Amino acid sequence: MKASQAYKKDEFNSMNWKWVTSSEVVITLLDNKQGKSGKFKARVVDGKVTKILEDEVMK
Amino acid sequence: MTVDYPDWTRLIQLIGSNIMLPIDIQASYVMIPVDIQAQYVTLDIDIVAQTVGNIGIDIKAASVGNIGIDIKANTLGNLTIDIEAQSVGVYYGAEWETKEGNDKFLSVVSETLESGDSAYATYTVPAGKTYYITSLSFMSLAVSSEDRDLHQTGYVYLWNQTDSTFLAHLGGDGGNGISFPSPVKVAAEKEVRLTVLNYSAHDSLMRATCGGFVI
């Protein structure tokens, strides 16, 4: 599963938003239940993810 | 015509290697002292009543499998549990939810936040769930080594974006943290934002985290 899918499905225990520009965020997820982590880079407008720029597989 | 039944009292003493005793009692007043001494006991009790006075259960056993108690009542006087056992796990709610994998931490990081600027992380509580936030913390460090002896003033807050409501505030010099005695509750489908603000007069690296559980 891609990290952006885990984000949409709320399948994570920890979520970190690291701002790289004023509109782009790297969101890192940790899923303790499955022992997996991953991150994706997204464009964010008013708190909403509007475009996925990079997407890792949760592993 | 109302049918009245006679009062009924009887001592039951059963001695056997294998006993099955289904009991169905319908009465206005019931008192059942029960003393069970057996190698193996399965006891299912389903009580439906207007008022339940007292339920006292005293179990002494080398091993107890599971004890499930489901109480639905308008009022509950006291629930007293006295456990003496070799190994028993009793958890506070937040600890239990973490054990069950329902913990939810939300963090925001900005490595170079200019003076007066803010950054946030946001989370929308899924439908049918509630987010209980139990802790909030942040740290603030000057980016430039020249500014590291100065005040590192930061401010962090939790904001219900959906309802435009502040939920919690925290400020400090260099960082701060708090555990909420009563969790901050965010209802289903509400968006909660964790925001850090740099109130130092220089660029800062700022991080903030709120933690809790979603059930």
Side-chain angles (χ1 to χ4, degrees):
Chain A
M1 181 188 293
K2 292 284 188 69
S4 63
Q5 290 178 291
Y7 170 76
K8 287 175 184 172
K9 292 183 175 181
D10 196 53
E11 292 187 5
F12 56 86
N13 296 102
S14 178
M15 175 169 70
N16 181 61
W17 283 39
K18 182 179 178 181
W19 289 86
V20 288
T21 70
S22 59
S23 62
E24 291 180 6
V25 179
V26 174
I27 297 176
T28 305
L29 305 176
L30 173 63
D31 181 350
N32 286 329
K33 284 183 179 176
Q34 301 186 54
K36 292 183 177 180
S37 63
K39 60 187 176 185
F40 66 100
K41 187 176 181 180
R43 187 164 295 146
V44 173
V45 177
D46 194 26
K48 304 286 187 297
V49 172
T50 57
K51 189 175 183 180
I52 307 294
L53 304 171
E54 297 170 21
D55 207 354
E56 280 184 6
V57 173
M58 295 287 284
K59 58 187 177 184
Chain B
M1 176 181 169
T2 304
V3 177
D4 189 20
Y5 296 97
D7 293 343
W8 187 84
T9 303
R10 178 161 299 179
L11 173 65
I12 300 173
Q13 184 174 28
L14 302 171
I15 300 173
S17 59
N18 190 349
I19 295 171
M20 181 180 292
L21 184 65
I23 300 173
D24 179 11
I25 297 171
Q26 297 177 25
S28 59
Y29 179 78
V30 177
M31 183 171 66
I32 309 174
V34 179
D35 179 13
I36 299 172
Q37 296 177 27
Q39 193 71 18
Y40 181 83
V41 175
T42 298
L43 189 64
D44 296 320
I45 300 173
D46 181 14
I47 299 171
V48 179
Q50 189 70 21
T51 303
V52 176
N54 293 299
I55 300 174
I57 301 172
D58 181 11
I59 300 171
K60 291 175 183 170
S63 173
V64 176
N66 292 299
I67 300 174
I69 300 173
D70 181 10
I71 300 170
K72 290 175 184 170
N74 287 331
T75 60
L76 176 63
N78 289 302
L79 180 62
T80 305
I81 301 173
D82 181 10
I83 300 170
E84 291 180 24
Q86 286 293 102
S87 175
V88 172
V90 178
Y91 297 84
Y92 289 112
E95 293 172 348
W96 176 256
E97 296 305 341
T98 299
K99 184 176 179 297
E100 293 295 292
N102 297 323
D103 50 315
K104 189 74 77 180
F105 286 80
L106 183 62
S107 298
V108 57
V109 177
S110 180
E111 292 187 337
T112 309
L113 200 58
E114 293 181 9
S115 176
D117 273 3
S118 64
Y120 65 87
T122 185
Y123 174 66
T124 301
V125 181
K129 304 274 188 176
T130 303
Y131 188 18
Y132 295 93
I133 301 170
T134 56
S135 67
L136 174 65
S137 62
F138 83 97
M139 55 80 74
S140 179
L141 292 173
V143 172
S144 170
S145 58
E146 297 172 354
D147 297 325
R148 288 179 186 164
D149 284 340
L150 303 174
H151 290 296
Q152 313 296 329
T153 310
Y155 165 49
V156 59
Y157 62 87
L158 287 168
W159 165 258
N160 182 326
Q161 175 72 12
T162 311
D163 298 333
S164 298
T165 308
F166 282 109
L167 301 173
H169 307 264
L170 191 65
D173 186 350
N176 207 344
I178 187 171
S179 293
F180 301 112
S182 179
V184 175
K185 185 177 176 181
V186 185
E189 300 181 72
K190 304 291 185 182
E191 180 186 341
V192 61
R193 282 195 188 185
L194 170 65
T195 301
V196 286
L197 272 149
N198 179 15
Y199 270 112
S200 302
H202 48 260
D203 291 357
S204 294
L205 184 163
M206 292 196 71
R207 299 173 189 267
T209 298
C210 66
F213 51 93
V214 174
I215 53 175

